[in-house]
Amino acid sequence: MELSGSLLDQLLEPSFIFRQRRDFVRNFLSYDEGRTWGVSHLNPKNRIDSLEQPRGCSWRIDGATQYGTQFFTALERYRVPLRIDAFIPDQMEHPYPLRPALQSSLSVVERGLRVAELGIAKHICNALHWHSEMDAHFLKKLENLPFGSKIVFENVVADVADMKLHVIPAYDLERRFAPFQKLQQMWKEEIAPPRWPPIINILDLSLIRQLHDSISLVTIKGRSERFIFKSTTSDPETLYHEIKFLLQIAPHPNIIEPPKYLVTKDCAFGGRKGVCGFILTYLGGGSLRDVLPLLSMQEALTMGVRIRWSIQIVFALLHFRDQTGSFYSDLRPDNILLSDVVSNPDSKIVLVDFEQRGNWYSWTAPEIRCFLFLKELTECPNNVSQSPHLKPIIDELVSNYLPGSTIKNFENQRSIWTLFSPALQEKAMVYSLGLMLYCIFEGLSNPRINLATAFEIEPHIEFPEFKSTPLIIRECIMKCVGNESLSYSGSPASSNIFSVQSTSLCRKLTRVRDMLTLKHGTTCIKGYEPRQEEIFDVAMNHWTDVLKDVQNFLRNNEHETRGCSRPTLKEVLQCLQHLEQVSNHSELPLET
């Protein structure tokens, strides 16, 4: 079954439990090209003339997000990083015969520079170039737009001249940017004046490449070195939350240093300057998401390196806890960078991303995840009211475990983490740390294949299978994460719906490049393309089981006790330090 953003948006959300089978099948109906010549890509009228960029085209695509519906656009002639992206309809709305040439389904999961090679990225560039040529004022209008504005295409068709385009200025976003003086006033008790960095205007920045939705690689006027510009196109409050953390905590070699500058922009209304981001040192060593599997393939990921990086991560987490009394909710390989290339012996681990927006489901502790599940269900009030068999269950869980006075305050994962005591917050961090150790010692980009994201090097094994991890660390990981190899029996004691295997429907579904397919045991069924009804049934059974498991989990107070059996951060550190000592003197056992 071909991937689309709308498909994953439904399958991966708890609200799938409200879906109707007939609607799902109708919405994701596949065409039979053999019988339907009118929609076949072999039909000459359904072909794109060329995806090659015309001479003089100054547009490029640096990446994509939102399941391949938001593309990071860059204009060679104007390099100020205003974060004006191009948005297109969901892949299911692309004409069927164009999808193979545009590689529509692959755009759902691809990230980074690989996106620029896709047909849809080239098509978007050609459409932007056509509009630029037809409207002499188009480019000038873009240069004067508010930060984070949008270029929205109504349709995707073969002829770029027929792709209708609208520009949506982000005036509301700029109105939410706080002046520098306001931030100083808000945090005057927590941050002393000497700790505040200088201010720089966004016009002094020049974009090299957009690395991520919120991360731009830039230069600063008058300086040759490269920097990171972190910004937001959606939530300034989260950006300011991270700035505050970074200015508060004492420096640590394994935590990203405080901002070098705060970046301001002249807002379109009111004549004020608002803080739209901050500047960080650029770290050239890459993220562990890419480095770990590459070194593993090259047989260059030594045991000493694995141990050293693991210890540095724990040191960083302990320092953050000690300095802030808070939690780090975002631990996974793409949020851990190397300070320099691997070949440099002084290269070290550096933790980044302190927004506390939360982690992927599969990296989130079950006690946090169960409340996320409830939160997302309550965001569908009409669906709840129209589901008589589900409404009593959901209403009971919400009234007992999410009081009405607080549920409206659950804007993100950060607010859910605050339901837990500091001790239980640490145990939730340890859950993610266990998975991180698994990736480090097995040399993986992720604990398993991800349905929504394609990695440069996909995992070759999946948790809880071990091949390269010393026995002492295997035992430590299983204490952190839990015995995920148990099968679900329906009883609270052995409940397994909250396991790593199940959180992304990975027990029954997997992704092969841009296709969703069924799994038979631990492998996919070669050459078999499942029907929409089969995909629906698998997902519905999964989310129905999850709702049952949430009931058991909460009624048995497992949200208060599940994390208690996990080790503390210091106990994990002791295990790693012990391994470091014995690894210097003996061969490490990989199994009993």
Side-chain angles (χ1 to χ4, degrees), residues 179-212:
F180 176 72
Q181 294 79 7
K182 182 177 179 180
L183 295 181
Q184 283 188 311
Q185 180 64 28
M186 286 168 49
W187 304 334
K188 62 181 180 181
E189 300 298 328
E190 294 103 325
I191 303 171
R195 294 189 66 87
W196 284 91
I199 296 173
I200 190 171
N201 194 286
I202 194 171
L203 296 177
D204 292 326
L205 305 183
S206 180
L207 178 69
I208 299 174
R209 186 160 65 91
Q210 192 66 33
L211 302 178
H212 182 269

Side-chain angles (χ1 to χ4, degrees), residues 311-582:
I311 288 175
Q312 289 176 355
I313 290 171
V314 182
F315 273 141
L317 295 175
L318 285 168
H319 179 78
F320 182 77
R321 291 276 297 165
D322 180 63
Q323 288 285 304
T324 66
S326 190
F327 53 88
Y328 183 73
S329 59
D330 305 273
L331 186 66
R332 62 177 189 267
D334 49 343
N335 284 333
I336 301 176
L337 308 182
L338 287 179
S339 61
D340 204 346
V341 293
V342 178
S343 57
N344 183 347
D346 295 327
S347 180
K348 59 182 181 293
I349 286 295
V350 180
L351 260 65
V352 298
D353 196 347
F354 292 86
E355 296 176 342
Q356 293 185 323
R357 284 194 302 177
N359 219 328
W360 298 349
Y361 253 45
S362 55
W363 283 83
T364 302
E367 58 269 27
I368 304 291
R369 205 183 308 143
C370 72
F371 286 104
L372 281 175
F373 176 84
L374 281 185
K375 170 187 173 294
E376 290 173 16
L377 289 184
T378 58
E379 291 172 348
C380 313
N382 292 335
N383 289 331
V384 174
S385 62
Q386 295 171 17
S387 303
H389 64 295
L390 295 175
K391 188 176 187 301
I393 299 172
I394 296 171
D395 286 349
E396 179 220 340
L397 293 173
V398 169
S399 62
N400 288 341
Y401 302 102
L402 290 179
S405 59
T406 61
I407 191 167
K408 293 180 180 179
N409 299 327
F410 292 160
E411 299 175 358
N412 48 42
Q413 277 199 37
R414 187 197 317 158
S415 53
I416 291 178
W417 277 72
T418 60
L419 292 173
F420 296 86
S421 67
L424 289 179
Q425 288 174 359
E426 179 179 347
K427 294 303 184 77
M429 290 168 59
V430 167
Y431 179 90
S432 302
L433 176 59
L435 294 176
M436 189 66 242
L437 295 178
Y438 176 73
C439 290
I440 290 174
F441 281 91
E442 293 297 335
L444 303 174
S445 54
N446 203 54
R448 59 176 48 249
I449 296 288
N450 190 296
L451 295 184
T453 301
F455 301 102
E456 188 77 33
I457 302 175
E458 298 278 27
H460 61 278
I461 62 170
E462 298 186 333
F463 189 86
E465 181 182 359
F466 292 94
K467 287 187 175 180
S468 306
T469 305
L471 182 60
I472 184 175
I473 298 300
R474 296 187 192 193
E475 293 171 349
C476 179
I477 289 171
M478 298 313 291
K479 288 178 181 178
C480 294
V481 181
N483 187 358
E484 308 292 7
S485 61
L486 295 174
S487 60
Y488 177 67
S489 68
S491 64
S494 60
S495 174
N496 188 44
I497 291 300
F498 284 126
S499 73
V500 176
Q501 295 103 304
S502 63
T503 52
S504 298
L505 297 179
C506 289
R507 293 179 303 164
K508 295 292 185 181
L509 299 180
T510 191
R511 176 180 53 78
V512 180
R513 279 183 59 80
D514 60 345
M515 298 296 291
L516 192 66
T517 188
L518 296 175
K519 290 178 75 172
H520 180 70
T522 59
T523 60
C524 62
I525 306 173
K526 188 174 181 179
Y528 176 71
E529 184 174 345
R531 294 178 293 111
Q532 289 85 350
E533 293 88 346
E534 294 177 277
I535 298 292
F536 179 89
D537 292 343
V538 167
M540 182 57 69
N541 290 338
H542 166 79
W543 288 116
T544 301
D545 284 344
V546 169
L547 180 58
K548 293 176 184 176
D549 206 57
V550 167
Q551 286 180 276
N552 286 334
F553 198 81
L554 293 174
R555 287 172 179 171
N556 289 279
N557 294 318
E558 288 194 59
H559 58 294
E560 297 176 351
T561 61
R562 175 66 72 96
C564 295
S565 60
R566 297 183 199 127
T568 63
L569 289 172
K570 288 185 177 178
E571 288 170 338
V572 175
L573 178 62
Q574 290 169 358
C575 178
L576 290 167
Q577 289 174 330
H578 174 68
L579 176 64
E580 184 178 38
Q581 292 175 353
V582 300

Side-chain angles (χ1 to χ4, degrees), residues 27-312:
N27 291 340
F28 299 106
L29 184 66
S30 296
Y31 290 93
D32 183 350
E33 289 196 45
R35 294 186 177 184
T36 318
W37 174 246
V39 299
S40 172
H41 71 275
L42 299 176
N43 189 332
K45 76 180 183 67
N46 294 326
R47 296 177 186 172
I48 298 171
D49 287 340
S50 175
L51 289 173
E52 293 300 317
Q53 289 196 334
R55 185 184 301 274
C57 180
S58 60
W59 290 94
R60 74 168 194 268
I61 300 292
D62 283 346
T65 188
Q66 298 295 327
Y67 296 139
T69 60
Q70 177 182 350
F71 289 79
F72 309 149
T73 56
L75 188 59
E76 293 294 342
R77 57 164 274 184
Y78 188 72
R79 292 178 172 270
V80 177
L82 288 179
R83 297 297 296 110
I84 299 173
D85 290 343
F87 293 76
I88 63 172
D90 181 77
Q91 292 80 9
M92 293 301 294
E93 297 181 43
H94 301 187
Y96 182 77
L98 301 186
R99 294 178 197 172
L102 296 179
Q103 299 168 286
S104 297
S105 293
L106 199 54
S107 72
V108 177
V109 294
E110 288 288 16
R111 298 293 182 268
L113 290 176
R114 301 192 304 275
V115 172
E117 300 303 316
L118 299 178
I120 184 62
K122 297 175 182 178
H123 203 52
I124 291 171
C125 286
N126 291 344
L128 290 170
H129 176 72
W130 186 89
H131 282 277
S132 304
E133 293 289 298
M134 292 300 103
D135 183 354
H137 303 290
F138 181 67
L139 295 181
K140 194 63 180 176
K141 291 175 186 175
L142 295 182
E143 294 172 10
N144 294 315
L145 283 173
F147 186 92
S149 296
K150 299 178 180 180
I151 301 171
V152 179
F153 286 99
E154 281 187 17
N155 58 341
V156 174
V157 293
D159 189 345
V160 295
D162 294 329
M163 290 177 62
K164 298 178 182 178
L165 173 154
H166 300 285
V167 176
I168 302 177
Y171 294 122
D172 182 62
L173 175 65
E174 282 204 348
R175 277 194 286 265
R176 293 162 62 195
F177 286 152
F180 176 72
Q181 294 79 7
K182 182 177 179 180
L183 295 181
Q184 283 188 311
Q185 180 64 28
M186 286 168 49
W187 304 334
K188 62 181 180 181
E189 300 298 328
E190 294 103 325
I191 303 171
R195 294 189 66 87
W196 284 91
I199 296 173
I200 190 171
N201 194 286
I202 194 171
L203 296 177
D204 292 326
L205 305 183
S206 180
L207 178 69
I208 299 174
R209 186 160 65 91
Q210 192 66 33
L211 302 178
H212 182 269
D213 181 32
S214 60
I215 303 295
S216 311
L217 183 61
V218 300
T219 56
I220 297 175
K221 184 184 295 184
R223 304 179 66 171
S224 60
E225 64 264 48
R226 296 180 292 178
F227 296 91
I228 289 297
F229 169 47
K230 181 160 188 180
S231 60
T232 180
T233 58
S234 60
D235 188 6
E237 290 73 22
T238 300
L239 180 78
Y240 301 151
H241 183 77
E242 180 171 23
I243 291 174
K244 183 180 179 182
F245 265 140
L246 294 179
L247 293 179
Q248 273 184 301
I249 59 178
H252 188 276
N254 304 119
I255 290 179
I256 192 69
E257 62 186 30
K260 288 188 170 298
Y261 300 93
L262 295 188
V263 180
T264 61
K265 183 183 181 297
D266 295 342
C267 297
F269 293 105
R272 63 187 179 88
K273 296 179 185 289
V275 174
C276 62
F278 56 93
I279 297 293
L280 295 168
T281 300
Y282 172 62
L283 304 176
S287 74
L288 291 196
R289 176 197 62 199
D290 300 323
V291 170
L292 285 171
L294 181 60
L295 290 181
S296 181
M297 286 182 61
Q298 298 171 344
E299 298 184 350
L301 188 61
T302 66
M303 187 59 64
V305 166
R306 299 179 212 205
I307 297 170
R308 184 172 74 250
W309 288 353
S310 299
I311 288 175
Q312 289 176 355

